[in-house]
Amino acid sequence: MNILLIGEYSRLHNSLKEGLEALGHKVVHLGFQDGFKQYPVDLPLEKKWDQGWRKKCKVALYKLTGFDFSSYLTYQQFVRIQDQCMNFDVVQLINENSFYCQPNTEIKILSYLFAHNKKVFLLSCGDDYINVNYCFDHPEYKSAVQPYLDGKISKKAFNGVLKFKQKNFKKLHDFLYQHIQGVLATDIDYHLPLLGHPLYLGLHPNPVNVDKIAYQPLEIEGKICLFLGINTQSYYKKGLDVFETALEIIKQKYPEQVEIYVTTNLPYTEYITHYVKAHIILDQAYAHDQGYNALEAMAKGKVVFTGAEPEFTKQYVLSKAVNCNATANLNQLVEALSYVIENPSELISIGERARKFIEKEHHYQKIASLYIETWQHTNR
């Protein structure tokens, strides 16, 4: 098949591309490089007028006229490469707002893609209309909406989520769902809100290229190393504030037993080198399932504190832990960290099971085959 993947979040489409190519398919990857993470893409787009004085000018212009200069510049970039974005068997969008444009501009780009390709599929990955509204309608649902409702995140800082509650983004959502073949979820957090939707094509777990990730069995000869990689853009959304507080408590509680590493906003290639020594990785506290960073760390054999709610264990029929469920409850988090620190043999066992779980449920070629099967057998 000839496939165009659009967008990137945490290396998801990079890993899927590797799986598809290993199976003999031709793949082109278009999009931004996920901010400071700088993931590779074949047809790169660049966010312009998005910082400094240019951003201030852009915002002022938008307030005065409703014209978004960044959207215009993105559209112009797409026009220059649009001839390379046609005649594909399958196009897959990573999100409802893959181009980060205002809805009217996004619809212009999408219209071209729908008109010049055979099938277009959508991932529910990151924030979108259905997921965001579900989280607000169910405030008890573990999600990044909870810290916002708790007042930890300002309305301005949460605009990237709140925009999906606006009428113009509802228009974009409706346009997409009128034209796509179907929507696929990448993990439990996106799977549950889509259950029962007529266009929902099921859970397609994040692919992990285990051939590129060396398994390193945990060895505990000295101090237990804990690692936290901070992304300031998602600091409260992922509960990193709770993690930092928990680490301070753990540092005081076990001064001779633990070693703690914290980094901030590292590009992906640097980030993965910084947690090599770590036994424990702190990932996120407001999730049911794992995102790509957690999965990659699990593939290395690390013990990851991340989403591992009952819905996750039920989905994969797990009788023993392959990671540790993290919550924003500080006492529970400290208690869970204390347990694995005081029971190093359990750390080693979880790390072993983590790698086996990734190989079984997230192998990049297995997941790529699942995508191919869905794409080929879905006609609308």
Side-chain angles (χ1 to χ4, degrees), residues 170-360:
K170 173 62 162 58
K171 175 185 175 183
L172 172 59
H173 166 81
D174 290 342
F175 175 81
L176 275 163
Y177 274 66
Q178 287 166 9
H179 293 87
I180 58 171
Q181 298 292 311
V183 57
L184 305 80
T186 57
D187 65 45
I188 299 295
D189 297 270
Y190 309 110
H191 166 73
L192 296 175
L194 281 166
L195 286 174
H197 194 287
L199 289 183
Y200 183 44
L201 300 174
L203 177 64
H204 290 59
N206 287 300
V208 178
N209 188 341
V210 295
D211 294 337
K212 284 189 171 183
I213 302 173
Y215 170 55
Q216 301 167 324
L218 294 181
E219 296 179 0
I220 303 174
E221 298 175 348
K223 291 185 176 182
I224 293 172
C225 298
L226 295 88
F227 175 83
L228 173 63
I230 292 176
N231 176 350
T232 53
Q233 293 180 344
S234 57
Y235 184 76
Y236 291 105
K237 285 178 69 176
K238 290 193 172 184
L240 304 185
D241 57 319
V242 183
F243 282 152
E244 283 205 286
T245 303
L247 287 178
E248 287 299 320
I249 295 172
I250 291 296
K251 188 176 182 179
Q252 294 175 18
K253 189 175 180 181
Y254 303 102
E256 303 301 321
Q257 292 172 257
V258 302
E259 201 171 1
I260 294 171
Y261 295 93
V262 179
T263 64
T264 303
N265 291 350
L266 290 181
Y268 171 76
T269 52
E270 290 184 43
Y271 169 81
I272 59 175
T273 64
H274 275 70
Y275 67 63
V276 172
K277 290 176 58 180
H279 300 93
I280 298 170
I281 308 288
L282 302 181
D283 179 55
Q284 57 181 322
Y286 291 106
H288 292 75
D289 199 343
Q290 305 91 53
Y292 188 82
N293 286 346
L295 295 171
E296 186 176 65
M298 289 167 63
K300 289 179 180 289
K302 307 299 184 183
V303 174
V304 185
F305 276 72
T306 184
E309 290 292 323
E311 296 89 345
F312 161 73
T313 57
K314 180 180 179 182
Q315 175 70 31
Y316 293 102
V317 196
L318 298 172
S319 59
K320 293 184 178 180
V322 297
N323 48 29
C324 297
N325 188 39
T327 73
N329 183 306
L330 181 61
N331 291 332
Q332 288 181 5
L333 185 57
V334 170
E335 183 179 344
L337 283 166
S338 298
Y339 175 76
V340 290
I341 290 168
E342 293 173 9
N343 295 274
S345 61
E346 182 64 8
L347 270 179
I348 293 171
S349 296
I350 294 173
E352 291 174 350
R353 293 194 293 267
R355 173 67 183 201
K356 291 177 181 177
F357 171 76
I358 299 301
E359 290 176 344
K360 180 184 178 185

